[in-house]
Amino acid sequence: MGRDANTIPSNPLMEYPKELLASDPDFRLIPTPQSITAARNDLSRYDAEAESMDQKLQEAQAALTKLKAERDALAFRINKVKCFISPARRLPREVLEEIFRWSTTEETPLAPFVFSRVCSFWRQICLTRPALFHRIRITSRFKHPWRLLKLWLDRIGSKGLLDISIEYHLTYSPQEFAPIQGTVEQQSLLEQLAIELAEAMYRLVELATRWEKFSFAGYIGSSSLLPIILSKAMVPSLTHFTIMAATLVETKGLLSQESSHWYWLQHHAPKLQHLSILNIPINWSNISMRNLKVLHLVPPADHPGTHLNDIITILQANQNLEDLWVGGVIKPALLGIPVPSVTLSKLLFLNLVDPANKPGTRMILEKISAPHLQLLCLDFADFYLPAFSVSAFLSRSGVPAIKKFGLGSSRSGDIGRDISWHELWTYVEGINELSLRNLPLDSMLFRVDAQCRSIEKLILAEYNSIGSILSESFGRQLISFVTRRNEDGETVTTNDQTSGYSRLKHLHLHVSGTETSFDPSLSRWLHNKIPSVVISHSPTREISTEGPLDRQQRESEDISEDNSTENEGSSEEEGLMWH
């Protein structure tokens, strides 16, 4: 069959897409000179139309951009009007002052600085209310802590009592430099920190007559400059005084001058009720204040210790104590000096730490009684706290209704499974919270399971190589302990009235050492049974026991910089506060 001369040959290079052929049949023809001329005329016309269309699109885009700009300007005016008629703007100045005052809490000490950056009216309120800045909180997490302190002190006015808390740790230094012991860089950094600290303390001491609460935690240094500076302070209104040295700071340089560091408190602070001196050398015979409610005295491990009669003398002068924490080496009483017994009728919290393998804790327990005790925490070394000493203390105190009980050893090693602690648990069977540390946990947990039915929070920790938490016997005992209390899992929150056991709500297991692999199947089982479970481990042994100093976390959120003229000067404050 013949083929039309004007049709496309069957050469694949000349074939066209089927869609194109279907939409325009003219493409089935081979171009001729006449059709090419016509196509070029069409192309010129199409180009002109496309150019015209592009011009219209540009004009439309410009119009759209203009409309968007006008809409944004209108939205800005709408927001302005809404802000003008907002309830917050209509609040009287006195109401705003009260809101600012109640918003400045222990957890939000920087609130006045934040409020002062909102608008000129709020800034004026903050700057004319110095009482908003009377709770001073400085931490080395801030970018420029001492410059911020200076700004803070410029705003406290000339009246009102001050609540001052300073945390200054090497690991959070402004230079963001983690010192390495013994290096030249470290010594240079320590010297610089000491200078900055001394300058800040001198400025604060000038305001000492207005101190109500003073707390310092962190680097002090071996030169004992801080205690010497503080000894110049006249603090007639001081009720709370806390100072805690960093754990790893060398303190031997403080020992030679310890007798002159803290005696000034008894003369310069007649209203003192809360005294905490932690990890700092102290001469106990110089502590002769009266009417204390909180007393925490824990010298560093290398402190030579104090005699029992000095401690009892302090307790006799402060029989209204509610919180007592004593640590360090306790020596027997001096020969010829009788040591009377003391009843602390208002004592609620007792924490005794004896890290030196001496019978100091036992001697204190033998001389005191606390009929209303609610928390008892004992940290001893090896065998020097027999269970009968604790039992005798509780019996002599009338078996107080203790709710929290902590027992631990400050050294590596087993306290000895041949020591009977069975009788002890009968005296604390009503506790709600139990903490055991560096003890044969498997054998103790068995006795606790039988005697203590009200436990809702259990903390078991090992900071040595005993390894009982990782043992199969401990695992079996723990399963039995949890099953007896949480048989139906975490979904049931009421107590089992038939068995008399309280439900276990929180469990924390901590293991330290090289082998810290906890059975994953047991971990999953615990998470299914208990609402809150924490299983932690660390590669090194514990260095120190965290004390009662309540460190508030003052991590603050970044605040976007406001370029408005109403907040002139606020950017400087932001630069001081945030890294």
Side-chain angles (χ1 to χ4, degrees):
M1 182 175 174
R3 182 166 37 179
D4 192 336
N6 290 330
T7 59
I8 299 176
S10 59
N11 188 342
L13 297 178
M14 298 185 65
E15 291 182 356
Y16 294 85
K18 294 181 179 180
E19 297 81 2
L20 186 59
L21 295 176
S23 62
D24 193 344
D26 291 341
F27 274 83
R28 302 176 66 85
L29 302 177
I30 296 176
T32 63
Q34 294 81 3
S35 61
I36 291 176
T37 301
R40 287 175 177 171
N41 292 335
D42 291 341
L43 181 61
S44 299
R45 186 174 69 256
Y46 295 156
D47 287 341
E49 292 178 1
E51 185 177 354
S52 175
M53 194 172 294
D54 289 340
Q55 181 65 28
K56 292 178 181 179
L57 287 174
Q58 292 178 2
E59 293 174 357
Q61 186 65 38
L64 179 61
T65 302
K66 182 179 179 181
L67 286 175
K68 287 183 176 180
E70 292 176 356
R71 180 64 179 84
D72 292 342
L74 181 60
F76 179 77
R77 289 193 292 271
I78 291 174
N79 289 334
K80 278 284 190 179
V81 175
K82 287 183 177 179
C83 291
F84 180 76
I85 64 176
S86 67
R89 194 175 184 88
R90 285 177 282 164
L91 290 175
R93 179 189 180 99
E94 294 77 12
V95 175
L96 283 174
E97 289 178 353
E98 286 300 303
I99 292 175
F100 294 168
R101 183 172 70 87
W102 286 100
S103 299
T104 306
T105 65
E106 184 66 34
E107 291 74 25
T108 58
L110 296 175
F113 292 98
V114 178
F115 294 142
S116 64
R117 301 183 66 248
V118 173
C119 64
S120 59
F121 180 57
W122 283 26
R123 185 175 183 84
Q124 182 186 25
I125 294 177
C126 292
L127 296 182
T128 54
R129 282 293 302 266
L132 294 175
F133 298 91
H134 286 178
R135 182 182 280 107
I136 300 174
R137 298 293 182 267
I138 296 296
T139 169
S140 44
R141 296 185 181 94
F142 294 150
K143 189 174 182 180
H144 301 289
W146 305 130
R147 287 170 57 187
L148 179 60
L149 176 61
K150 181 179 182 301
L151 179 62
W152 217 313
L153 296 181
D154 289 339
R155 297 186 178 183
I156 60 175
S158 57
K159 298 180 181 179
L161 299 179
L162 304 177
D163 179 358
I164 303 171
S165 178
I166 298 176
E167 291 187 24
Y168 200 52
H169 300 284
L170 293 175
T171 53
Y172 295 104
S173 65
Q175 294 85 348
E176 297 184 355
F177 171 70
I180 302 175
Q181 186 174 6
T183 64
V184 176
E185 291 81 359
Q186 182 196 27
Q187 297 302 322
S188 176
L189 176 60
L190 295 181
E191 292 176 2
Q192 179 63 29
L193 296 181
I195 294 174
E196 293 177 354
L197 177 59
E199 293 175 351
M201 288 298 104
Y202 276 120
R203 178 72 186 275
L204 289 173
V205 167
E206 294 175 357
L207 302 167
T209 55
R210 298 176 57 186
W211 290 4
E212 181 181 25
K213 299 179 181 180
F214 181 89
S215 173
F216 180 93
Y219 172 71
I220 292 180
S222 60
S223 64
S224 69
L225 185 59
L226 178 61
I228 293 175
I229 295 174
L230 291 176
S231 67
K232 309 297 182 182
M234 299 297 296
V235 283
S237 301
L238 185 66
T239 60
H240 292 64
F241 181 80
T242 297
I243 182 167
M244 182 176 73
T247 304
L248 298 180
V249 172
E250 180 63 47
T251 57
K252 291 182 180 179
L254 297 170
L255 296 176
S256 60
Q257 303 176 14
E258 62 174 352
S259 61
S260 62
H261 283 165
W262 309 111
Y263 77 94
W264 57 277
L265 282 171
Q266 62 198 39
H267 302 293
H268 298 175
K271 297 182 179 180
L272 191 65
Q273 295 182 349
H274 181 133
L275 176 62
S276 297
I277 302 178
L278 310 175
N279 204 43
I280 294 179
I282 185 170
N283 190 329
W284 293 70
S285 61
N286 287 336
I287 305 298
S288 59
M289 284 78 71
R290 296 178 177 272
N291 301 319
L292 291 175
K293 293 184 178 180
V294 177
L295 178 62
H296 300 160
L297 297 179
V298 182
D302 56 1
H303 191 273
T306 188
H307 292 282
L308 177 64
N309 50 285
D310 290 333
I311 297 178
I312 298 302
T313 299
I314 296 175
L315 299 183
Q316 281 184 310
N318 298 275
Q319 297 190 28
N320 290 326
L321 277 173
E322 300 174 0
D323 186 349
L324 176 63
W325 185 24
V326 176
V329 178
I330 310 299
K331 302 176 182 179
L334 296 174
L335 295 177
I337 300 180
V339 180
S341 299
V342 180
T343 298
L344 302 175
S345 58
K346 296 184 178 181
L347 190 66
L348 302 176
F349 311 105
L350 176 60
N351 190 327
L352 300 179
V353 181
D354 182 10
N357 202 19
K358 300 293 183 181
T361 303
R362 175 180 57 79
M363 291 189 296
I364 295 179
L365 289 176
E366 291 175 352
K367 292 297 181 181
I368 66 173
S369 59
H372 297 100
L373 196 64
Q374 295 182 6
L375 179 148
L376 177 61
C377 184
L378 304 173
D379 194 320
F380 57 96
D382 296 342
F383 300 95
Y384 277 88
L385 186 64
F388 68 82
S389 296
V390 184
S391 302
F393 160 72
L394 295 175
S395 177
R396 188 169 59 254
S397 300
V399 191
I402 295 178
K403 298 301 180 183
K404 298 181 180 181
F405 181 57
L407 191 63
S409 173
S410 16
R411 294 191 175 187
S412 301
D414 196 330
I415 65 168
R417 299 176 185 270
D418 57 336
I419 297 181
S420 174
W421 290 82
H422 299 175
E423 182 184 0
L424 171 63
W425 303 115
T426 61
Y427 289 96
V428 294
E429 59 184 5
I431 57 176
N432 301 127
E433 181 177 330
L434 175 64
S435 174
L436 300 176
R437 185 171 67 91
N438 288 356
L439 300 172
L441 299 177
D442 48 356
S443 59
M444 280 199 167
L445 191 59
F446 175 79
R447 182 55 56 181
V448 171
D449 189 10
Q451 294 293 140
C452 305
R453 301 192 172 194
S454 301
I455 295 178
E456 298 179 356
K457 182 176 182 179
L458 179 63
I459 303 173
L460 305 175
E462 287 182 347
Y463 295 95
N464 50 36
S465 57
I466 295 178
S468 61
I469 285 184
L470 300 177
S471 65
E472 293 184 6
S473 60
F474 173 78
R476 290 192 298 268
Q477 187 59 47
L478 182 61
I479 291 174
S480 175
F481 183 91
V482 175
T483 302
R484 201 183 307 275
R485 291 160 174 79
N486 297 36
E487 183 175 2
D488 298 326
E490 65 177 355
T491 57
V492 181
T493 57
T494 58
N495 291 345
D496 188 346
Q497 299 297 331
T498 59
S499 65
Y501 286 94
S502 297
R503 297 192 62 80
L504 186 63
K505 299 177 181 178
H506 177 82
L507 172 66
H508 186 173
L509 303 177
H510 182 91
V511 186
S512 178
T514 56
E515 298 179 1
T516 55
S517 57
F518 194 80
D519 186 354
S521 60
L522 178 57
S523 176
R524 290 191 297 269
W525 185 85
L526 292 173
H527 280 85
N528 290 331
K529 288 290 185 179
I530 307 172
S532 175
V533 177
V534 177
I535 300 177
S536 59
H537 63 84
S538 57
T540 57
R541 288 180 53 193
E542 181 187 39
I543 295 176
S544 65
T545 304
E546 183 177 357
L549 186 63
D550 188 16
R551 300 184 183 181
Q552 297 294 335
Q553 296 296 327
R554 290 181 285 275
E555 297 287 354
S556 306
E557 298 180 356
D558 290 339
I559 302 174
S560 58
E561 183 176 359
D562 187 353
N563 295 324
S564 172
T565 56
E566 292 181 338
N567 294 324
E568 183 177 358
S570 62
S571 59
E572 177 187 0
E573 301 165 11
E574 181 184 16
L576 296 178
M577 290 186 287
W578 319 123
H579 275 295

